[in-house]
Amino acid sequence: MRLLTLPAPYCTVALDCAVRLKTETAVPGTLYQRLVIAEQNLPSELYPYQERVFLFVDPELVSPSVCSALLLEIQAAQEQQTPEACMRHVVSHALQAALGEACHAGALQRKLQASPRHALERIFHAVVAAVEQMASEPSPSREGHLERLEEIYCSLLGPAAAARGRCGGHDALQDRPPSIPLPSPYITFHLWTDEEQLWKELVLFLRPRSQMRLSADLEALDLQGLLPDRELARVSVLSTDSGIERDLPLGADELLTPSSPEMEHGGLQRKGGMKKRAWPLDLLMLGGWDGPPGLHRRTGRPDGDGELLPGVSRLHTARVLVLGDDRMLGRLAQAYHSLRKRETQKFCLTPRLSLQLYYIPVLAAKKPAASRQPELGELAAFLGRADPWYQNTVNTLCPAIHKLAEMPPSLGSSRTVDPFILDVITYYVRMGTQPIYFQIYTVKIFFGDLSQDPPEDIFLTELTVKIQDSKLPKDGFSPRRKGVAEGPGAELSICYQKALLSHRAQEVTVSLRATGLVLKALPGSDTEVSGPTHCPPTAAPLPDHTCLNVSVTEVVKTSNLAGRSFSVVTNTFRTANIRIQSQDQRLLTLLLDKDSRRTFRDVVRFEVAPCPEPCSGTQKSKALWLSSHQQKEMERTRAMPKPLLMPINTFSGIVQ
């Protein structure tokens, strides 16, 4: 109990372990059974939860050898983890955990191996029903549970074999209980080539079960989300009667009893007319995957259980794992933003799906200094500083992945592939339950060609600004200001809101000559999460992380007897909102998230701000059915939009 008094996440992890131990002690075999059913998507009416790991790899960022090694391990594991094998594991584990030494493990395994598919399914559902019914009881009876499992055991091996097992008649040396493996999660491998690929895969994951467990309103939604003009779900039902009870025909609605309080108030009553649907306020305004502001972890929320809408449970958990560098995370942020934007229009995935994001860094092999690319693993380094467990488990896998990929497949005595990378992935997706939230930033870009509409894009880690050698034609831009000295770089006007501890709005406008800028969304190693060497780095205090670290390479002009010269000075400041415009004819080039595929050229002005939560197009219609207090709350939230945060799961998050 002392662990529960420690700061988060230790108390959260301790409470979760205590609940699991209590469940397993009351009904042995429950945790194994639920984990295998969910991860392998085995059909079960009593435990209908399903999980799936989506492994996304960008073929342009990860070498073919790494992709082949991952695919080889996943295919080798799934060949051994057939649904029949997983059912046999669940039945054997449940009977051995409950019966103990009385279970003839070897004979049981042989009987299950020889059973046909239909018989195996019948036994599997019987065992699952016995365990789940026992686990759902407030005060479970151990004797009744053992009797039900003994009946299943006797139906498999017969009363004589069961009696020999209870009496210990078999030779323990000749028939040792075979080890029951814990299968790795069901993983699907995807080469990320389409911007809509994440959305499509999540929809396909929901489709088999969604048609059985949705209310009529949600069933009317377009699962694919590819037809934006389709009518949204109805949120009200219009009554066609007069609204007076005596005008209703018999059987048209529920009749009130003579002794009910409603009948005592009078004979004329309203019967509802416009029926309201109870939409949760936080779901209407912000969506279902929101997190607290800043870069910190979330505590106290379930993984995939619970209901966001009445009658619609989150039975599916999608664990999206991406491999790559910071450029891959930029693509993930784009897909996450697009998915959240779709949800405000279609409202399809949020009520039924728990989305968990994971990241394993895979950086390119070391190159010579002349051709070495900029640092592409800054986010992984930050996660390692924030969570030492992540650093020792996940970040240390990064250099080993390339070595394992270049090695020939290591086959054991059973001619099976050694699933080293798969084991680390399995450990990470099972134990990494504490997310760290990262602010997504939006950038609005204005080109020198006024005929082009200003596009909007987002970035997660970094925005780099470079000065182009070319200039804008004089007829398309205002002439250069007089008195501006020629030199390297461009004359820029920078307007930003200074980041203060008091959170007061202080706008600063400066004009300077610069050769480039870098806007970093991640805190440096010497600020937020760094600490003394004698204590963990995560114990350091956490200030507000929702700000950009801007580095401006300023050109300073000096005059002396030798003539005019220029020197370069780097200035840094922190802000959340910034506007930059070129004052002369020099054009700018923007590079988002270090990805050359996301480059914007011929830019004269751009604006950067925290990306807000996508505004729902259905909020206006739904707001009509809210109370006056809820409408005021929604108006207040619109005035102060909540920033969009993307969670990445780690083991401990950031210690509060």
Side-chain angles (χ1 to χ4, degrees), residues 6-10 292-293 295-299 435-436 538-542 652-656:
L6 296 177
Y10 305 114
L295 281 179
H296 56 281
R297 43 171 227 88
R298 174 187 62 190
T299 58
I436 295 179
T538 55
L542 293 172
S652 65
I654 297 179
V655 179
Q656 303 298 301

Side-chain angles (χ1 to χ4, degrees), residues 15 17 69 71 133 209 261 269 359 372 590 595 604 616:
L15 179 61
C17 292
L71 190 58
Q133 290 174 3
R209 287 276 184 166
Q269 301 218 9
Y359 170 56
R372 186 173 300 171
L590 306 186
D595 194 346
V604 297
S616 173

Side-chain angles (χ1 to χ4, degrees), residues 265-287:
H265 292 322
L268 300 180
Q269 301 218 9
R270 291 291 301 171
K271 288 298 295 180
M274 300 294 291
K275 299 180 180 180
K276 299 180 180 180
R277 177 169 295 278
W279 296 91
L281 181 61
D282 58 343
L283 200 59
L284 291 179
M285 296 186 298
L286 302 175

Side-chain angles (χ1 to χ4, degrees), residues 91-92 95 103-112 153 156-157:
V91 173
S92 300
L95 294 178
C103 179
H104 198 302
L108 177 62
Q109 288 278 25
R110 291 189 291 270
K111 180 63 176 180
L112 294 176
Y153 180 71
L156 286 171
L157 300 183

Side-chain angles (χ1 to χ4, degrees), residues 65-113:
S65 59
V66 174
C67 296
S68 300
L70 291 171
L71 190 58
L72 179 63
E73 291 192 10
I74 294 174
Q75 290 178 346
Q78 292 182 357
E79 289 177 358
Q80 302 175 3
Q81 298 170 185
T82 61
E84 294 81 2
C86 294
M87 290 181 186
R88 288 192 291 266
H89 294 334
V90 170
V91 173
S92 300
H93 187 274
L95 294 178
Q96 292 186 33
L99 303 180
E101 296 182 355
C103 179
H104 198 302
L108 177 62
Q109 288 278 25
R110 291 189 291 270
K111 180 63 176 180
L112 294 176
Q113 288 283 354

